[in-house]
Amino acid sequence: MGFRPTLYVASAGLGLRHVESEAPGYAATFTLTHEDAVARTRLDAERWWAERCVDAGATTIAELPSAPTMVVMSAAYSAPLRGDISRLAQSNPNVLVVGGEGEVAGARRLPGNRSLRTELGGTMMSLNQRIAAAWLERLDGRDLLAEDAFPEWYAWEAEVAKPEVWDRRPMSDDSVMTAIRSMRTANPRLSRSEALRTLRSSGFACEQSRFGRLFARAMEVTR
């Protein structure tokens, strides 16, 4: 693709680290509703991120080389990282954000678009990475933020986008809890988010916060 990237990982547990740096096992995420969430509000997530950036071995976004920079992130990581990315964009005019939630001052952005999943394949969790890869492939040797690449992208996006329509079946609270207990019996280490994905992939509907409450109740019953 014409690039020689240096890859960093934004970790809720360890801060910003080079992808080849060694790290201990841990469970941490900025997804506020996840059982391993490091914070329950966006403000607390921002504070947590600021503290992780001064941990031994961590790098701050502001310390990244002044080179074309692509930031690929989920909506959950957008809030804690937004300030750092905006400050980076003030000194580096070549910052492209893929995914996230809302615009970042000073940076260009390709929003996550689930209507591209049929074209790009994979799961929703990997969609932003696939969008980033598709963007790089379509540059065909041009600069990361080549101006003429954006109208080409938007035209391609409009051509291939296919909105996803789900036809999932509703379930009663008792049925959801029975399914949860069955899944946990088969896999005692199954997390809440993994259980919800399994339920939905089986063709059943359950709103995330409702599932979280029922998951907790099911765990209380089985203790």
Side-chain angles (χ1 to χ4, degrees):
M1 299 180 188
F3 296 97
R4 292 184 177 180
T6 301
L7 186 61
Y8 291 85
V9 176
S11 162
L14 300 169
L16 189 67
R17 303 275 177 148
H18 190 277
V19 70
E20 294 183 354
S21 65
E22 296 184 355
Y26 68 96
T29 179
F30 284 123
T31 302
L32 302 181
T33 57
H34 195 279
E35 60 187 349
D36 293 325
V38 297
R40 294 304 178 189
T41 69
R42 292 190 175 197
L43 181 58
D44 286 344
E46 292 174 18
R47 291 170 176 163
W48 177 276
W49 175 252
E51 293 172 359
R52 297 291 73 72
C53 287
V54 297
D55 285 351
T59 300
T60 66
I61 290 179
E63 292 173 338
L64 294 178
S66 183
T69 302
M70 173 183 277
V71 181
V72 185
M73 62 180 177
S74 66
Y77 280 64
S78 182
L81 272 66
R82 182 188 300 275
D84 278 355
I85 297 170
S86 181
R87 285 186 286 274
L88 173 66
Q90 291 176 10
S91 60
N92 182 351
N94 298 302
V95 176
L96 176 65
V97 175
V98 179
E101 184 179 55
E103 302 302 317
V104 178
R108 299 294 297 269
R109 177 170 175 256
L110 296 178
N113 183 351
R114 68 183 307 157
S115 296
L116 296 177
R117 200 155 73 99
T118 299
E119 177 70 18
L120 299 178
T123 65
M124 277 300 300
M125 291 188 67
S126 67
L127 180 59
N128 289 334
Q129 289 91 328
R130 292 173 185 274
I131 289 174
W135 172 263
L136 294 175
E137 290 173 358
R138 295 180 67 83
L139 286 176
D140 194 25
R142 289 173 291 181
D143 293 339
L144 180 64
L145 273 72
E147 282 299 329
D148 57 345
F150 285 92
E152 291 178 10
W153 175 268
Y154 300 139
W156 171 81
E157 191 175 43
E159 178 183 349
V160 303
K162 293 182 179 179
E164 295 183 336
V165 179
W166 299 107
D167 186 22
R168 296 187 175 120
R169 301 184 298 279
M171 301 177 71
S172 67
D173 287 1
D174 286 343
S175 295
V176 173
M177 292 177 64
T178 297
I180 291 170
R181 288 193 289 267
S182 176
M183 287 187 284
R184 288 278 295 191
T185 298
N187 179 8
R189 297 178 61 85
L190 189 72
S191 70
R192 180 179 61 189
S193 58
E194 291 171 331
L196 178 56
R197 284 197 297 272
T198 300
L199 186 78
R200 287 174 170 174
S201 66
S202 299
F204 295 100
C206 189
E207 192 270 331
Q208 186 173 5
S209 60
R210 174 184 173 230
F211 186 85
R213 292 193 299 271
L214 295 175
F215 188 90
R217 284 170 53 188
M219 293 304 96
E220 288 294 332
V221 171
T222 55
R223 287 175 184 172

